[in-house]
Amino acid sequence: FFLFGRERIGGVSLNILYYDWNEFTREDAQNAFVSMGHTLTVIQYEWEHIGYDEGFLRALLQKLLQKKPDGSTQIDFAFSFNFFPVISLACEMVKIPYLCLVFDSPYLPLNSIQINNSCNHVYIFDQELIKRLRKQGVKTLHHSPLAVSGQRLKKISNDLKKEPYRYQITFVGTLYDDEFKLYDALQEMNPRTRGFIDGVIRAQMQLYGNDLIGQIDLITDDMIYEMQRLVDFEDTGNFRMDPNQILRDMIRRKVSQIERVEVLQMLTQLCPVSLFTREDQIAPEGVNDFGYAEYRHQMPEIFCLSKINLNITLRTILSGIPLRALDVMAAGGFLVSTYQRELAEAFENGKELVLVHTPKELKECCAYYLTHETEREEIRRRAQEKVTRLYDYRVVFTRMIRESLI
């Protein structure tokens, strides 16, 4: 009963309940749905508990139970960025489909007890994560890349065509230098175990696109169990906790924290390096800190006006295409990225972007492309054409709707 007839999708407006949680993608996504001819009912609610919130559930049901004059349900499906268990519960109660596109990694609510509700169509951009969750019995997952507002970003880049470069090498992103450095907090870990894991972290930093942290012959389950005894996992009953994966993701986050600092410092040997990050982050020595970059307007201008834009993929993203990579290419920026399997499958290395496998290769490629503007321009142009054609919100949303509702 979650299927729509083809005649109802093709050329006919759908009524969508859109959960707006002040996410940075909301304006582009809402504009895309409206431009596709759909009607949005936007709901905002600041929940107290992501696993279950009675007030949020009531607010959702009030919207979902609204009827048309003929007595049929007014809302055709609910949508959100990221998966919200309470939305799933509400949709399951009233038999209305729930589509969501998950962009955070890691994302604990994917372990919710609501994840297998029959109303769910959960889209994830990382194929390796989908494989892992399916092995755990999750049956509601689909794969989809993330998306951008292609035409809006292309217009920004066209308006800046005659502007000179302002930056040489640029990185826009967090350094993970915050209160969530959980690995550092495990002070009571056996020194031998800590030393071994630190060694795997250093080895992982020398290799992009191949996950060492998940290999149990390197970081054994016994080591993870030792870490688990030092961490208090709160069991609310709303999630199926997987301490093994949570702790391995903690280590992966530590890898990203160290390597982002060291990569930026390494590249200062070539030219000035510009960092745009949250105000609470401390820039590495020698790196120019420009503070926070607003997503919709300032960030694409930065990508356009940088000779080289870096994507240093967060290590918890095992195979997927990070949104930052799409952001850069859609805005007409030249992208150098750490290797990701799905990036390599979707884009031609050396023709549409530059993928590197080690820090040494990263430095060599940056040194080369800093002085080869014609090649940068061709790569940048091809990448922007492909991303605006294949990864626009309207393309991605259309595919999601057809896969899930027809």
Side-chain angles (χ1 to χ4, degrees):
F1 45 47
F2 291 127
L3 301 182
F4 290 96
R6 290 183 181 274
E7 69 281 356
R8 193 172 181 193
I9 296 290
V12 176
S13 171
L14 297 173
N15 294 303
I16 304 167
L17 179 63
Y18 185 106
Y19 176 48
D20 182 336
W21 48 278
N22 204 34
E23 71 276 18
F24 60 90
T25 52
R26 68 190 186 281
E27 191 169 348
D28 286 336
Q30 291 174 19
N31 288 341
F33 277 128
V34 171
S35 74
M36 294 163 66
H38 303 310
T39 301
L40 295 184
T41 298
V42 177
I43 181 171
Q44 295 178 314
Y45 191 94
E46 293 188 16
W47 41 264
E48 294 185 12
H49 305 286
I50 193 169
Y52 181 79
D53 188 291
E54 184 71 31
F56 190 20
L57 180 63
R58 286 198 301 268
L60 288 163
L61 289 173
Q62 184 178 24
K63 299 289 187 183
L64 291 168
L65 289 171
Q66 292 178 357
K67 303 292 184 180
K68 295 178 182 177
D70 63 3
S72 63
T73 303
Q74 180 169 312
I75 298 297
D76 292 312
F77 70 91
F79 175 86
S80 69
F81 282 104
N82 287 342
F83 173 76
F84 290 88
V86 180
I87 301 179
S88 175
L89 175 60
C91 288
E92 187 76 357
M93 292 171 68
V94 297
K95 307 304 181 188
I96 289 176
Y98 173 36
L99 280 64
C100 60
L101 182 57
V102 178
F103 57 56
D104 277 341
S105 174
Y107 189 62
L108 180 62
L110 291 175
N111 296 311
S112 165
I113 60 174
Q114 307 294 342
I115 192 65
N116 272 330
N117 287 343
S118 59
C119 64
N120 292 342
H121 302 273
V122 181
Y123 284 81
I124 296 176
F125 71 99
D126 190 313
Q127 291 175 347
E128 289 300 316
L129 176 58
I130 291 175
K131 288 179 185 178
R132 190 177 85 193
L133 291 171
R134 282 177 175 166
K135 286 181 180 178
Q136 297 173 358
V138 181
K139 301 175 182 178
T140 56
L141 307 179
H142 308 258
H143 178 261
S144 174
L146 299 174
V148 294
S149 180
Q151 294 307 310
R152 180 181 65 79
L153 294 171
K154 195 167 187 177
K155 182 181 185 304
I156 291 175
S157 68
N158 287 339
D159 291 343
L160 294 171
K161 271 186 177 179
K162 297 182 180 180
E163 291 287 320
Y165 288 113
R166 296 178 191 168
Y167 316 103
Q168 301 294 304
I169 296 176
T170 298
F171 177 69
V172 179
T174 184
L175 301 179
Y176 301 105
D177 183 21
D178 52 32
E179 70 272 20
F180 298 109
K181 292 188 288 187
L182 301 178
Y183 179 74
D184 295 347
L186 302 180
Q187 299 295 331
E188 299 178 17
M189 194 188 310
N190 182 300
R192 183 179 178 184
T193 301
R194 180 68 175 249
F196 191 90
I197 294 176
D198 286 346
V200 176
I201 288 173
R202 300 307 305 187
Q204 181 69 89
M205 289 168 55
Q206 300 305 311
L207 187 63
Y208 303 140
N210 187 0
D211 178 51
L212 302 182
I213 308 303
Q215 297 184 18
I216 60 174
D217 56 336
L218 291 177
I219 298 179
T220 67
D221 288 340
D222 286 343
M223 293 178 185
I224 294 296
Y225 179 70
E226 183 180 334
M227 294 174 63
Q228 183 179 339
R229 290 188 296 107
L230 302 175
V231 178
D232 182 19
F233 288 98
E234 180 183 3
D235 186 4
T236 63
N238 294 316
F239 300 98
R240 299 182 181 93
M241 303 296 287
D242 185 352
N244 188 300
Q245 291 302 330
I246 292 173
L247 291 169
R248 290 185 191 274
D249 280 341
M250 181 192 302
I251 299 171
R252 292 182 180 108
R253 194 176 191 274
K254 182 62 180 179
V255 175
S256 290
Q257 179 203 341
I258 299 173
E259 77 178 347
R260 291 188 173 190
V261 170
E262 294 192 1
V263 162
L264 295 179
Q265 288 180 320
M266 173 187 72
L267 294 176
T268 61
Q269 300 169 18
L270 300 177
C271 67
V273 174
S274 300
L275 170 66
F276 293 83
T277 191
R278 299 197 317 254
E279 301 294 344
D280 62 343
Q281 305 285 284
I282 301 174
E285 185 176 355
V287 175
N288 298 316
D289 183 1
F290 288 92
Y292 176 75
E294 181 271 330
Y295 181 76
R296 295 191 77 247
H297 301 98
Q298 186 181 5
M299 195 180 291
E301 291 184 1
I302 293 165
F303 297 147
C304 258
L305 301 177
S306 299
K307 287 185 177 180
I308 294 175
N309 294 280
L310 299 177
N311 172 61
I312 308 171
T313 304
L314 175 60
R315 293 290 187 157
T316 58
I317 303 173
L318 299 179
S319 67
I321 300 175
L323 181 58
R324 182 65 74 248
L326 296 176
D327 289 335
V328 169
M329 292 186 285
F334 173 77
L335 178 67
V336 175
S337 175
T338 54
Y339 181 87
Q340 286 288 105
R341 176 176 60 79
E342 293 183 56
L343 259 180
E345 292 170 350
F347 296 90
E348 189 174 353
N349 190 18
K351 297 291 185 181
E352 296 165 327
L353 79 176
V354 175
L355 295 171
V356 296
H357 298 81
T358 66
K360 181 176 182 291
E361 186 182 2
L362 173 59
K363 184 178 181 182
E364 291 171 350
C365 285
C366 286
Y368 177 84
Y369 283 105
L370 279 170
T371 59
H372 288 75
E373 183 167 356
T374 301
E375 292 180 47
R376 287 201 319 266
E377 176 63 22
E378 281 300 305
I379 292 171
R380 177 207 66 77
R381 181 186 60 78
R382 293 190 195 100
Q384 186 178 42
E385 190 280 328
K386 176 176 278 189
V387 173
T388 55
R389 177 166 49 89
L390 298 179
Y391 296 87
D392 186 85
Y393 276 114
R394 290 170 296 183
V395 174
V396 171
F397 287 163
T398 297
R399 183 169 58 246
M400 290 173 61
I401 290 171
R402 284 176 176 167
E403 286 182 5
S404 301
L405 305 183
I406 295 178

